[in-house]
Amino acid sequence: MTSLTITPHANNFGARIEGLDLAAGLNADEVAELRAAWIDHQVIYLPNQPLQHDQLERFTRCFGEHGNDPYVKAIDGHQHILEVRREADEEVAPFGSGWHSDWSFQSEPPAATILHAKVVPPHGGDTLYADCFRAFEALDPGFAAELETLMTVHSARLPYSHEGYIKTGSDKRKGMKILPNDNAWDTQLHPLIRTHPESGRKALWVNPVYTIGIDAMQESEAQALLAKLFEHLLQPEFIYTHHWSADMLTMWDNRSALHCAQGGYDGYQRIMHRTTVAGTAPA
Ligand code: SIN
């Protein structure tokens, strides 16, 4: 029995969690309950949790090893914490403002991402989440069975190759240092329909930032199918709009949700600290 209060959203996608003090640390029962809530609700958020860097790292390790976070310079002395920062006078689109599942181009992409709000603008700066479970479950069963035979091609090239770095304006970022690299041209195959390793639920697992093709399918056919799947997955009925407050910690499941950072706060600073939890190869 723990002191956790879990308030799920009406459709179960997303839940607010109260009754814990993350800075004080968690016991095994609390970690188990939080883990179950994260898998069940896909996006969980805990308001009013001021945390130092080492406390954020300790919270992250309650759920597994740190993930491998490339292409962005980490906080000095804390290689596992990225600062997602946009200055008040920044003109470039917010970091993460295309729909994606974090680092899906890796062979073992992170299971979780944890984002801790440090400076929140008075308006804008929401994060949108898309529910890959319900998007899969809403597909026509015959079409879904066909999709289950397909493998997709993922790559970091659009944002993180040298070419992508310039095209996306990352060379003009003020708040963050992006580190483009030729490795971004590498490709990784993943199943188009992914089975969640812990719950066994199936997810429509494609995203427009990193999914660049479909294995063994002609380019124009693959791009047409991907466009159709993105349109399906990003329908309003599958989206949750998350509003932030300072010191809120949010943790999402990259295996069952996509996310997308929003702008709308020009003239104000926004600062978040981000860690990831290592995952397994999608299957
Ligand atoms: C991210 O994609 O990790 C950033 C999300 C956000 O800043 O809202």
Side-chain angles (χ1 to χ4, degrees):
M1 190 63 188
T2 70
S3 56
L4 249 87
T5 307
I6 302 175
T7 311
H9 295 171
N11 64 359
N12 222 42
F13 183 46
R16 179 183 179 96
I17 311 242
E18 284 154 308
L20 289 176
D21 177 3
L22 301 187
L26 299 176
N27 64 38
D29 289 344
E30 290 166 337
V31 172
E33 269 202 64
L34 265 189
R35 184 175 190 88
W38 162 62
I39 289 168
D40 236 28
H41 305 294
Q42 303 151 264
V43 183
I44 57 173
Y45 51 97
L46 297 87
N48 306 318
Q49 300 288 343
L51 291 174
Q52 304 296 322
H53 294 333
D54 57 334
Q55 294 167 331
L56 176 60
E57 289 164 335
R58 186 185 60 197
F59 175 81
T60 305
R61 285 194 305 274
C62 289
F63 300 94
E65 296 296 313
H66 287 289
N68 163 27
D69 297 301
Y71 303 123
V72 183
K73 188 180 175 305
I75 288 186
D76 284 342
H78 294 271
Q79 58 164 322
H80 298 297
I81 304 181
L82 303 186
E83 186 164 80
V84 177
R85 179 182 184 124
R86 192 165 181 270
E87 302 296 358
D89 60 349
E90 194 137 350
E91 288 171 5
V92 183
F95 174 80
S97 57
W99 282 102
H100 62 287
S101 173
D102 279 328
W103 311 142
S104 74
F105 51 83
Q106 294 181 336
S107 56
E108 297 184 346
T113 298
I114 294 162
L115 202 56
H116 186 238
K118 309 303 276 188
V119 176
V120 173
H123 52 76
D126 295 338
T127 306
L128 307 186
Y129 294 92
D131 182 346
C132 304
F133 283 153
R134 276 172 201 81
F136 171 77
E137 287 154 10
L139 291 169
D140 166 79
F143 181 47
E146 279 172 38
L147 295 179
E148 287 197 58
T149 65
L150 299 176
M151 298 293 285
T152 46
V153 183
H154 291 242
S155 164
R157 68 186 57 171
L158 293 178
Y160 297 119
S161 64
H162 289 96
E163 191 184 304
Y165 172 69
I166 304 292
K167 259 196 193 153
T168 52
S170 275
D171 56 325
K172 299 189 183 64
R173 283 196 190 286
K174 295 182 178 174
M176 296 176 70
K177 178 131 187 69
I178 305 297
L179 308 167
N181 190 304
D182 284 342
N183 293 342
W185 289 96
D186 292 351
T187 56
Q188 177 66 48
L189 293 186
H190 288 310
L192 194 153
I193 304 298
R194 176 173 191 178
T195 303
H196 195 285
E198 297 181 65
S199 70
R201 286 179 80 183
K202 288 181 180 171
L204 174 56
W205 205 65
V206 289
N207 70 82
V209 173
Y210 300 131
T211 314
I212 60 164
I214 298 181
D215 189 40
M217 190 179 280
Q218 214 227 335
E219 176 67 5
S220 58
E221 197 189 340
Q223 292 310 324
L225 178 55
L226 285 174
K228 179 173 165 172
L229 295 176
F230 297 150
E231 194 182 341
H232 171 75
L233 175 52
L234 302 175
Q235 291 178 85
E237 67 192 276
F238 302 130
I239 309 285
Y240 157 54
T241 301
H242 182 66
H243 306 299
W244 293 91
S245 52
D247 294 326
M248 178 185 279
L249 179 139
T250 297
M251 171 167 158
W252 63 85
D253 192 334
N254 285 305
R255 303 164 297 184
S256 63
L258 305 187
H259 62 282
C260 175
Q262 300 295 286
Y265 57 95
D266 286 355
Y268 295 93
Q269 195 184 45
R270 180 179 184 269
I271 303 178
M272 316 293 246
H273 286 174
R274 192 184 103 150
T275 60
T276 58
V277 177
T280 51

